[in-house]
Amino acid sequence: MKKIILKTIPLIALLLFVFSCTSVRVVSDYDKSVNFDSYKTFAFFKTGIDKAEISDLDKRRILRAIETEMLAKGFTKSENPDVLVSIFTKSRQEVNVWNNGFGPYGYGWGWSPFYWNSFNNVSASTQGSLYIDLIDTEKKELIWQGKGSGYLTSSSNIEKKEARIKEFVAEIMKAYPPEGRP
């Protein structure tokens, strides 16, 4: 029994480490008929951004991170943009319960006060998704959408929160422009 416990503790520690370091999973979609080289300027789509159900502080953090990425890709912020940038967010709480006890096993013969040695562990985490939409201003059509999903930090440390937001945005924007597309 002790051997099993000694073997599972490092495995549990490894799994906790791996899941705590899970990066952002990204998927993107785009209009195949679009020439992405024709887009040079951008602005934020206030109407869409206002609908995102997150705090105004987090919205500003996300928008600053998007602006940084767009400027790094050669875009210019403009009052008369080629594309509008909008965001949408989703989150869901995940609760995991696991029993790492011994089950209905006692020690020795007969009755044991340790007959049910079970230990329940509960963990909660928040899985978040950030959608970044690029909308052609002339056609008023969605031309590209990137979605990043991952675990959100529940830390009150603002630097960690900002770093996680920057990571989400940077990972999503790596998918723009679509590979093999101008």
Side-chain angles (χ1 to χ4, degrees):
M1 188 63 70
K2 287 183 181 180
K3 287 182 183 180
I4 293 172
I5 293 172
L6 291 175
K7 287 181 181 181
T8 59
I9 288 175
L11 178 62
I12 291 171
L14 177 65
L15 289 174
L16 287 173
F17 177 75
V18 168
F19 285 119
S20 69
C21 297
T22 302
S23 65
V24 181
R25 291 172 306 284
V26 174
V27 294
S28 65
D29 195 7
Y30 63 95
D31 183 341
K32 292 189 320 186
S33 66
V34 170
N35 177 5
F36 290 96
D37 277 342
S38 66
Y39 301 108
K40 303 292 183 203
T41 59
F42 77 99
F44 291 108
F45 184 53
K46 184 173 175 14
T47 306
I49 292 167
D50 286 345
K51 292 179 185 178
E53 295 180 7
I54 55 174
S55 76
D56 286 343
L57 293 170
D58 284 340
K59 282 181 192 177
R60 285 194 301 267
R61 289 178 182 115
I62 292 169
L63 297 180
R64 280 193 300 266
I66 292 171
E67 184 173 341
T68 299
E69 292 295 324
M70 294 294 283
L71 293 173
K73 290 185 177 293
F75 280 84
T76 306
K77 199 169 181 183
S78 171
E79 293 292 322
N80 188 19
D82 301 323
V83 294
L84 291 172
V85 179
S86 187
I87 62 169
F88 178 75
T89 59
K90 282 186 185 180
S91 67
R92 66 184 169 104
Q93 188 77 17
E94 288 185 0
V95 178
N96 297 307
V97 179
W98 67 94
N99 181 314
N100 62 349
F102 304 108
Y105 304 109
Y107 295 101
W109 293 95
W111 180 85
S112 169
F114 307 106
Y115 186 71
W116 284 99
N117 293 325
S118 62
F119 303 99
N120 292 322
N121 291 315
V122 178
S123 70
S125 58
T126 303
Q127 172 88 22
S129 296
L130 171 63
Y131 294 80
I132 300 175
D133 295 340
L134 299 184
I135 303 160
D136 183 302
T137 55
E138 188 177 306
K139 296 178 186 175
K140 296 182 178 25
E141 293 179 349
L142 180 68
I143 58 166
W144 182 87
Q145 183 179 66
K147 173 189 170 192
S149 299
Y151 289 97
L152 304 176
T153 180
S154 60
S155 172
S156 61
N157 183 326
I158 300 303
E159 286 77 25
K160 283 185 180 180
K161 186 181 230 183
E162 285 182 356
R164 187 66 173 151
I165 287 172
K166 287 178 183 176
E167 179 186 9
F168 257 76
V169 171
E171 289 298 316
I172 295 167
M173 293 307 294
K174 280 182 185 176
Y176 182 86
E179 282 209 27
R181 301 292 303 170

